[in-house]
Amino acid sequence: DPTLRYRVLFSVTKAPASPDQVNPNLEKVARFVNLLGADGIRPLPGDVAVVIHGPATPLVMNDAAYAERMKTRTNPNLPLIAALQSAGVSVRVCSQALAGNKIDAASVEKTVEIDVSALTTMATLQLRGWALIPD
């Protein structure tokens, strides 16, 4: 509906089947943005947000840290994160999940925002009108 303001929050908690694969829930965010775009709907920057937490948390690590931790050559999620951000999607990670997964904040890709907690981000955005799409 082109008359609506689409404000949508995706909760991404699940890790992919293999660390050398792109997280399928990030792909779901891209599909959503592409489906809106196919109908000429362009959400405002930040109106589509992704909060990453739980077992999915490592996907926000920079290439070097991810490769060392996951035994891969690179982080396959970073190109999609960059494309989502170019489309105006806000990509965020829970600092509590970073601590729980023993990930140093310095190893987080510099374009990813670090929130105090996924729980407060999800509650705050929902109270402000964002629709939550869980994984």
Side-chain angles (χ1 to χ4, degrees):
D1 182 347
T3 65
L4 291 177
R5 181 174 179 189
Y6 284 86
R7 296 191 314 179
V8 180
L9 170 63
F10 289 83
S11 174
V12 174
T13 64
K14 296 177 184 169
S18 173
D20 62 343
Q21 296 175 342
V22 173
N23 188 291
N25 288 302
L26 283 183
E27 291 175 329
K28 179 168 61 173
V29 177
R31 276 194 311 276
F32 176 78
V33 172
N34 288 338
L35 286 168
L36 291 179
D39 283 335
I41 299 168
R42 304 279 187 264
L44 296 172
D47 276 1
V48 176
V50 178
V51 64
I52 299 157
H53 52 120
T57 303
L59 74 84
V60 301
M61 297 171 78
N62 63 41
D63 270 329
Y66 188 91
E68 181 178 330
R69 180 182 181 120
M70 307 305 257
K71 309 300 182 221
T72 62
R73 290 189 307 125
T74 61
N75 181 343
N77 299 287
L78 296 182
L80 183 51
I81 288 172
L84 290 170
Q85 290 170 326
S86 291
V89 175
S90 172
V91 180
R92 316 167 84 80
V93 66
C94 170
S95 69
Q96 305 301 305
L98 290 174
N101 284 278
K102 297 179 177 31
I103 297 171
D104 184 347
S107 69
V108 173
E109 179 64 23
K110 64 182 181 260
T111 61
V112 174
E113 297 176 61
I114 300 175
D115 289 352
V116 172
S117 78
L119 292 175
T120 55
T121 296
M122 290 189 300
T124 300
L125 291 180
Q126 286 180 88
L127 289 167
R128 290 182 178 161
W130 269 254
L132 175 64
I133 299 179
D135 60 359

